[in-house]
Amino acid sequence: MTTDWTQLAPWALTVIAFVLLACQGVINSRRIARVHRQLRENSENLVRELNATASGSAGVGNRVITCERQLHELRSLFDEMRQNDPLRVSYDEASRLVGLGADIDDLMNTCGISRPEAELVSALRRRQQRAA
């Protein structure tokens, strides 16, 4: 019984092809496992970075809220100080008196301001009246 290589060649080539396909499958599965592992590590790194960023943002947000609260308090204090400022009251009163027709000497005596201040208030009030 003699076998002809021409009859066995297709079978041998088929076996070799299947062996090569199996080797390629093993190599590809290892590559896929490596890529999967790298993706998992990258994902874990991104989650850690996102958590760090979120906690940092929360800290910054709390600081901004604290700063806004302090700014509001300072504005309130500033407005209160501005309303209670005796010089401001004098200038407001002087401006009101100029509107009623008071002269510079009346402003100096009534409001307790100097002559240049009284002249300035008078000039400013006249300019406002002309503009209106």
Side-chain angles (χ1 to χ4, degrees):
M1 173 161 171
T2 62
T3 52
D4 191 12
W5 283 104
T6 56
Q7 290 176 349
L8 293 178
W11 291 104
L13 289 175
T14 304
V15 169
I16 291 172
F18 279 126
V19 168
L20 289 175
L21 281 174
C23 289
Q24 188 65 38
V26 169
I27 291 170
N28 285 342
S29 67
R30 287 181 182 168
R31 284 182 184 167
I32 289 172
R34 184 172 9 109
V35 168
H36 187 264
R37 208 172 30 254
Q38 288 174 344
L39 285 174
R40 189 177 332 116
E41 289 172 4
N42 287 345
S43 175
E44 290 170 357
N45 287 339
L46 288 174
V47 166
R48 280 193 297 272
E49 289 177 15
L50 180 63
N51 288 337
T53 302
S55 66
S57 296
V60 169
N62 289 338
R63 294 211 19 113
V64 167
I65 290 170
T66 302
C67 289
E68 286 177 344
R69 189 178 307 123
Q70 289 174 347
L71 178 63
H72 180 69
E73 290 173 9
L74 288 173
R75 279 187 182 163
S76 298
L77 286 172
F78 178 73
D79 289 342
E80 184 180 324
M81 288 172 56
R82 192 173 176 193
Q83 289 174 354
N84 294 334
D85 185 13
L87 293 177
R88 176 132 177 97
V89 173
S90 297
Y91 290 130
D92 289 343
E93 179 67 16
S95 178
R96 187 183 69 78
L97 290 173
V98 168
L100 295 174
D103 65 358
I104 293 174
D105 290 328
D106 291 336
L107 294 178
M108 291 172 39
N109 294 332
T110 306
C111 300
I113 58 178
S114 66
R115 177 170 290 282
E117 291 172 324
E119 290 173 353
L120 179 63
V121 170
S122 180
L124 288 173
R125 181 63 183 198
R126 278 182 276 164
R127 177 181 269 177
Q128 286 175 348
Q129 288 173 344
R130 278 189 229 136

